[in-house]
Amino acid sequence: SLLTQLADSEQSLNQYQHTHEQMKKVNADMSENMRRLRMDYEASVNELERLHVVEKRLDWSEGRWEEYVGRIRDVSKTSVLAKYGKGPHNVELQVQLHSSSSPETIKIELAPLDMMPHSIHTFLEQIDEGTWDDGVSFDVANAGHVLMVAPARDHAHDQALPATAMTSLTTTTMTSMKTTTLLFPEYNAQYPHDKYTIAFPSSQSSSSSSSSSSQQQPPSFYINLQPNAIHHSPRIEGEKYVEGESCFGRIVDERSRNVVDGLNRLNENGRDNRGQFSEEGVVIRSARIVGV
């Protein structure tokens, strides 16, 4: 009937209107999503352009840094050749253990000059300046994998050493001395941190020191007691990149290695055979360059 047809037409019209409203909402949502996508795209393009600028600056900075490092290495090598010859360069340390009446010798064979020119120049200059001379008292601390040689604190046993073997220098005095230090951590994978090698800690590099600190770090170096590439090579710690440390010499003769092993045993045992703590200090009587 006509009434039935009218009712069906009205229902169809209502459904059309409902569908039309839904489509309008969908189109509005799509338009908003497209607007947001355009904004995100534009922001991504801007960020990409900014990152390209940052990348160019980083490349430029890295290039300048490599140029800076290269110049220092060249100057260091030239200085060593002019002052100490082409090598091989060797160093002897005369060390006085407080449990011994006579000094022991540790012979150090430095790395080839082409491999570690800045580190070798730094160490030779420290020796020439007398940094490791005159019976200076130094702590030899066992960190488990290295023996760290650094300026000693005041210790009671110092008085037990012969007067001619002891010059008491505090850390403050050592930092006030004019001492040559590294300008950057000079790492070379071809001269690894093997057992009985000598290295500078990262704190000795001025590029690794805090810019807020105006005081020079006291001189120090360490002897590797085991293969330590995992500890001292370039690496990522957490989210921080850590530079590799400067390994620049090795102890090759058996007698010198025995001296190092003796120092290590003193630290491992805590006390030597006289009941004194080994971390109370070892006196470096002298350091000299040999074979020049």
Side-chain angles (χ1 to χ4, degrees), residues 175-217:
T175 54
S176 67
M177 294 173 61
K178 181 181 178 182
T179 303
T180 301
T181 57
L182 288 178
L183 298 178
F184 66 92
E186 185 181 37
Y187 175 79
N188 191 328
Q190 296 181 1
Y191 202 84
H193 287 257
D194 293 333
K195 186 176 182 180
Y196 296 117
T197 53
I198 312 296
F200 286 125
S202 58
S203 61
Q204 291 302 290
S205 168
S206 60
S207 67
S208 300
S209 301
S210 171
S211 59
S212 62
S213 176
S214 59
Q215 191 178 51
Q216 177 180 311
Q217 290 291 322

Side-chain angles (χ1 to χ4, degrees), residues 27-87:
N27 287 334
D29 291 342
M30 290 182 62
S31 296
E32 178 63 19
N33 288 336
M34 288 297 294
R35 186 184 69 82
R36 291 178 179 176
L37 286 172
R38 281 196 298 270
M39 291 178 62
D40 291 344
Y41 173 75
E42 291 172 358
S44 298
V45 170
N46 292 335
E47 179 65 12
L48 187 60
E49 291 176 351
R50 188 188 70 82
L51 290 175
H52 281 319
V53 173
V54 172
E55 184 179 16
K56 289 180 180 178
R57 290 178 178 174
L58 286 174
D59 289 342
W60 179 81
S61 297
E62 184 177 356
R64 289 294 299 272
W65 173 253
E66 290 177 352
E67 181 182 357
Y68 167 77
V69 166
R71 288 180 179 177
I72 293 175
R73 287 169 58 87
D74 289 343
V75 170
S76 296
K77 179 179 178 180
T78 300
S79 298
V80 171
L81 290 173
K83 190 171 182 178
Y84 305 106
K86 65 180 182 179

Side-chain angles (χ1 to χ4, degrees), residues 112-123:
L113 184 58
D114 286 335
M115 298 180 70
M116 304 296 294
H118 182 48
S119 300
I120 291 173
H121 176 256
T122 298
F123 194 57

